[in-house]
Amino acid sequence: MKRYILCLAAFTLSLCIQAFTVVIDAGHGGKDAGAVGRSAKEKDINLAVALELGKLIEKNHPEIKVIYTRKTDVFVELNERANIANKAKADLFISVHTNSTAAKVGPQGTETYTLGMHRAADNLAVAKRENSVITLESNYEERYEGFDPSSSESYIIFELMQDKFMEQSVELARNIQQEFKQTGKRTDKGVHQAGFLVLRATSMPSVLVELGYVNNPTEEQFLKSTAGRQQLARCIYNGFAKYKKSIQK
């Protein structure tokens, strides 16, 4: 009888302990194509890499719960992406994106962002481009409390914010960037901070990954290829696995 009670208690405790949960966010989608190259669209690249990343986590860590903000070509509002993670009480949020510049031919390289105040004009430009998706949402002025993604003044709020998950977010971002450089042999553009709305509303360590520049012809071909997408997903996964191991110590 005592053994039965102990087994029942252990089973009940296991039900109460939530599995480590990762939310993978494929940026853009549906009516929002994101950055567009000569023949590739950001939304498609993001989704392919996000799904591949999820498969790697599920295969190697069956104990981890993986949630996607989208698994198909649909439009998901920025606030809803964060809501999905918050409702799931996620332990980690990884947003996958593809970069671009105003220049006809962009540079090459990967970079990973955490929430914060931009310290360079280039970082602000990336945040403005990614945040501009809210203009496709109905009543976005009220929904985002008057935030104007094209106005530099709107980003002052991020300088006032204290992200309690900053240390963990930066550790994850550094691990991912290290993998991009060492394993993926990609040009390392570093870890940065910027005012991303999709990260602002999450209540867990969060990063936003820029896979490469779709307006660079060489990089675009890499981003379009199955091998390229698998390699990028593997790098993100390796960075995640290293982070997960470090927090278990």
Side-chain angles (χ1 to χ4, degrees):
M1 183 66 176
K2 185 179 293 184
R3 179 180 296 177
Y4 171 78
I5 293 174
L6 288 173
C7 289
L8 181 61
F11 176 72
T12 303
L13 180 62
S14 69
L15 291 179
C16 296
I17 299 175
Q18 178 179 304
F20 189 93
T21 302
V22 179
V23 172
I24 302 175
D25 172 44
H28 306 278
K31 63 183 178 180
D32 174 25
V36 178
R38 294 180 180 179
S39 58
K41 295 179 180 178
E42 177 182 0
K43 65 175 184 176
D44 300 326
I45 298 168
N46 298 345
L47 182 59
V49 173
L51 294 176
E52 186 66 27
L53 170 61
K55 281 168 48 180
L56 287 170
I57 295 175
E58 290 167 338
K59 177 182 178 181
N60 294 286
H61 298 273
E63 78 282 3
I64 292 178
K65 183 177 182 180
V66 177
I67 297 175
Y68 303 87
T69 58
R70 69 179 182 98
K71 297 182 75 174
T72 58
D73 185 20
V74 295
F75 179 74
V76 182
E77 296 177 346
L78 284 190
N79 271 353
E80 181 55 26
R81 295 169 188 269
N83 287 339
I84 290 171
N86 293 335
K87 288 176 183 176
K89 294 182 171 59
D91 298 279
L92 214 56
F93 181 85
I94 302 173
S95 191
V96 180
H97 289 260
T98 305
N99 223 331
S100 184
T101 62
K104 186 175 181 180
V105 177
Q108 294 188 46
T110 61
E111 53 192 343
T112 305
Y113 285 85
T114 62
L115 180 67
M117 182 63 181
H118 62 277
R119 300 298 178 189
D122 287 348
N123 297 354
L124 176 60
V126 174
K128 283 183 175 181
R129 184 178 65 78
E130 297 295 0
N131 289 336
S132 66
V133 64
I134 67 172
T135 61
L136 298 177
E137 303 177 20
S138 60
N139 198 25
Y140 77 89
E141 295 94 340
E142 181 178 341
R143 191 187 300 257
Y144 295 94
E145 302 173 340
F147 183 88
D148 179 359
S150 64
S151 170
S152 300
E153 287 72 22
S154 287
Y155 290 83
I156 294 174
I157 61 170
F158 293 99
E159 192 163 22
L160 305 176
M161 296 179 66
Q162 294 295 319
D163 183 6
K164 63 180 179 179
F165 302 108
M166 179 60 70
E167 185 176 342
Q168 300 100 308
S169 300
V170 170
E171 181 182 356
L172 174 60
R174 285 174 176 165
N175 288 341
I176 291 173
Q177 278 303 123
Q178 185 178 44
E179 287 296 322
F180 279 143
K181 181 180 179 180
Q182 295 182 353
T183 303
K185 307 302 180 185
R186 312 307 298 165
T187 301
D188 178 21
K189 293 182 69 66
V191 173
H192 309 284
Q193 293 183 354
F196 293 101
L197 289 173
V198 72
L199 299 184
R200 181 184 72 168
T202 57
S203 55
M204 71 284 303
S206 306
V207 297
L208 186 146
V209 178
E210 293 284 1
L211 300 170
Y213 288 81
V214 76
N215 66 323
N216 179 290
T218 302
E219 198 141 87
E220 180 184 19
Q221 291 306 309
F222 178 79
L223 293 166
K224 284 174 57 179
S225 70
T226 299
R229 293 170 176 181
Q230 289 176 342
Q231 185 183 99
L232 290 166
R234 170 62 67 175
C235 290
I236 300 172
Y237 165 75
N238 287 350
F240 156 77
K242 191 182 299 183
Y243 167 83
K244 182 68 166 60
K245 186 176 181 179
S246 72
I247 63 173
Q248 289 177 323
K249 292 179 181 178

